[in-house]
Amino acid sequence: MLGLLRQKIGSGTSSAMILGQSRQLIRPAVSALRNYSSAVKEMTVRDALNSALDEEMSADPKVFLMGEEVGEYQGAYKITKGLLDKYGPDRVLDTPITEAGFTGIGVGAAYYGLRPVVEFMTFNFSMQAIDHIINSAAKSNYMSAGQISVPIVFRGPNGAAAGVGAQHSQCYASWYASCPGLKVLAPYSSEDARGLMKAAIRDPDPVVFLENELLYGESFPVSAEALDSSFCLPIGKAKIEREGKDVTITAFSKMVGYALKAAEILAKEGISAEVINLRSIRPLDRATINTSVRKTNRLVTVEEGLPQHGVGAEICTSVIEESFGYLDAPVERIAGADVPMPYAANLERLAVPQIDDIVRAAKRACYRAVPLAATA
């Protein structure tokens, strides 16, 4: 297939024709308080992602989608609803259940100038394709001395859902964020989803786009600016969702909502929490985090993933290296329990961070609660 793509591109054949002629080689045999400016309407995260994909496909014929059930079934979570009817099977490709196969094809297509958006039904299945993501997509630009760009997006739901057990509940933020050559994004709101998806598709490098299944149906206010087809958010820039002066809380994806609700509870008790929505895990907006900590003098990091070698651990290290002298209390780190995700609902709830966990951590940081060591 790659030879065909190279031959066709070299002869000046259009991207649309390349996709059409290579299609048979790809297709399977069986076919809380938030700071928003000038909010004009409500939009679900699902619709935000769908509209971003639609607009980028309309603007650039090199963009195409591939993955399990993205076409005829309209997407396992309906993110790609209507796109097969609009753009046809040449650009919305249903694949077999073989992540290693279709991810490799997507990376090869990106080598030759196309812009694939590869969907994993869940990022847990990306483990089947991790060699292509890490060794082929992430490293090729460096190993080719900048001669090969790999403009590809790997997207899908990440982290815990509900009642799907240990093998389908993992958070891959720290996994992929540890790899040079990848950019890793984790949207929270509908504006995040639209702006970051557009940025990911337009970026010349491979982007891992970590969504959350439980956020797909949640609605958020969307500004007039974000509804414009030219809207795009910068990669590597966090957003201060709520300003505060007593403690900084960092979070990403679904945990941003939890942090905002915790901040509301804390405000009733006289604690002013600043909530930072990371948006980008790699590159990490260290400047925004450290500026906030130098103002509040306290830090609580929140993530769903496992604690060891996590995103929170990296943030803590950054603050200790750059802002240690500003800290008035030990850093608090909230993460998932260091165990495989339990299947039982009561144990599952204990294994992932809850709003009360964030509230207690912020109080400890502000010396408004008995330290954990004193209760041991």
Side-chain angles (χ1 to χ4, degrees), residues 90-111:
D90 289 348
R91 296 183 65 193
V92 182
L93 306 172
D94 278 321
T95 67
I97 305 175
T98 170
E99 284 78 12
F102 65 74
T103 303
I105 291 172
V107 173
Y111 281 172

Side-chain angles (χ1 to χ4, degrees), residues 43 69 78 85 113 129 134 143 155 197-198 245-246 278 315 342 349 351 357 368:
M43 176 181 282
E69 299 184 346
K78 302 300 181 270
D85 292 339
I134 301 296
M143 295 180 71
R155 59 154 295 269
M197 176 59 74
K198 285 172 167 287
K245 60 183 178 62
D246 295 328
L278 295 176
I315 292 172
R349 188 179 188 282
D357 297 324
R368 297 280 294 274

